[in-house]
Amino acid sequence: MPFTDLQRRPAAAMLFVIASIPSSVLFAQTATPTPTPTSGTVASTPPATAATTVPQPVPMNRGVVVLDPAHGGVDSGSRISDTLVEKDVTLAFAFKLRSLLTSRGFTVVMTRDSDAAFEANSPSTPLSLDDRAGIANHQRPVACLLLHATSAGSGVHLYTSDIAPTAGEPALQPWLTAQAAWVGESGKLERQIATALDRSRVVLASGNAAVRPVDSLTCPAVVVELAPSGDDPATITDTSYQQKVSEAIAGAMVFWQHQAQAPVRILPVPPPAAPAASAAATESNP
């Protein structure tokens, strides 16, 4: 379906992404020995220094790519033609991409690999947008490609989140703006894919928007929306056309695998420790 028709993120977020931080690196403090009091002197304790933290790079699995074929099951997506719906196009597109990425050494995780879009442990529960984001975030992939299809326009449309970027990934962050730390890398990934598509002479359009589940992803993330190669909507299923697009994207991922840079995790800095009580010793009067 047209990307602008995707569900937009709510104004307020109640869920959070919590990074797993070893307690051994959360707080690091250097102990300062306290001088031993002597007769006739006053022993002073040096002021406690604030605990320091060591920034930790966010984990990234450079050999893993997540593909999210949009829609599935009762959710057909947009209607491409009288006999074709979006969910079927995105799944076929994902299979081609998975084959090419696997042959290049990537491990590919798909949020769905059949017409259905249900939770693995609950065949009656539809896979939500948050579920799709959760699958991707669990993998910590080098890239997440969200696959859509539309009969509008032609070629390939690329989109990234328009969330304002942050300098790093906080340990506790709102679920609906988790992409903020990755916006810069997502933009670089989009340009890498765009360059590859341009070299393959694929018509290209790009932009950004505030949508889900892109905004909840903690990885470089790009929406890849496939449109017909020409005026005829049926060309969207042309095997040679989909193959050309898939090969360009797979080739771009090989270069991206070594270029991607994970943001630094922002660790909380605890307040300074309370100063220890000073001990004083005085001589006795004769």
Side-chain angles (χ1 to χ4, degrees):
M1 68 180 178
F3 185 74
T4 53
D5 291 342
L6 288 177
Q7 181 178 356
R8 300 181 68 86
R9 66 170 182 266
M14 298 299 293
L15 300 176
F16 293 87
V17 177
I18 303 177
S20 176
I21 305 171
S23 59
S24 60
V25 301
L26 191 57
F27 305 128
Q29 190 169 10
T30 303
T32 303
T34 302
T36 303
T38 59
S39 177
T41 64
V42 176
S44 61
T45 302
T49 57
T52 59
T53 59
V54 179
Q56 299 293 311
V58 175
M60 176 187 286
N61 295 320
R62 295 183 180 275
V64 177
V65 174
V66 171
L67 300 180
D68 177 33
H71 311 293
V74 295
D75 178 11
S76 298
S78 65
R79 181 163 291 280
I80 307 300
S81 67
D82 292 339
T83 58
L84 185 64
V85 291
E86 183 178 7
K87 68 173 183 177
D88 295 331
V89 176
T90 59
L91 189 60
F93 186 26
F95 282 140
K96 283 186 172 59
L97 261 177
R98 182 175 69 175
S99 177
L100 292 170
L101 288 169
T102 300
S103 68
R104 287 162 171 77
F106 288 98
T107 297
V108 178
V109 176
M110 293 174 56
T111 56
R112 69 179 181 101
D113 58 7
S114 68
D115 174 67
F118 295 92
E119 292 182 358
N121 60 349
S122 180
S124 61
T125 304
L127 197 66
S128 69
L129 295 176
D130 287 333
D131 293 330
R132 293 173 187 260
I135 291 172
N137 292 347
H138 179 72
Q139 298 296 326
R140 284 293 188 179
V142 73
C144 180
L145 305 179
L146 299 95
L147 309 180
H148 287 263
T150 180
S151 59
S154 60
V156 176
H157 309 154
L158 303 176
Y159 299 92
T160 56
S161 174
D162 71 348
I163 293 177
T166 58
E169 184 179 276
L172 181 66
Q173 58 187 311
W175 174 258
L176 297 184
T177 57
Q179 174 68 189
W182 297 87
V183 168
E185 289 304 296
S186 296
K188 294 177 184 177
L189 174 58
E190 178 190 30
R191 291 189 289 275
Q192 185 77 59
I193 296 173
T195 298
L197 290 170
D198 185 62
R199 289 174 178 169
S200 297
R201 300 184 182 278
V202 175
V203 177
L204 180 68
S206 61
N208 51 51
V211 297
R212 298 177 64 205
V214 183
D215 295 347
S216 298
L217 295 175
T218 53
C219 58
V222 176
V223 175
V224 180
E225 186 179 58
L226 188 68
S229 62
D231 296 333
D232 184 1
T235 59
I236 198 172
T237 60
D238 182 78
T239 301
S240 60
Y241 170 55
Q242 285 196 9
Q243 186 73 15
K244 180 168 69 171
V245 172
S246 298
E247 287 179 351
I249 294 175
M253 292 306 306
V254 173
F255 288 98
W256 175 251
Q257 180 180 23
H258 305 290
Q259 296 174 3
Q261 297 294 324
V264 173
R265 177 168 292 153
I266 303 174
L267 301 180
V269 178
S278 60
T282 58
E283 293 184 350
S284 301
N285 292 327

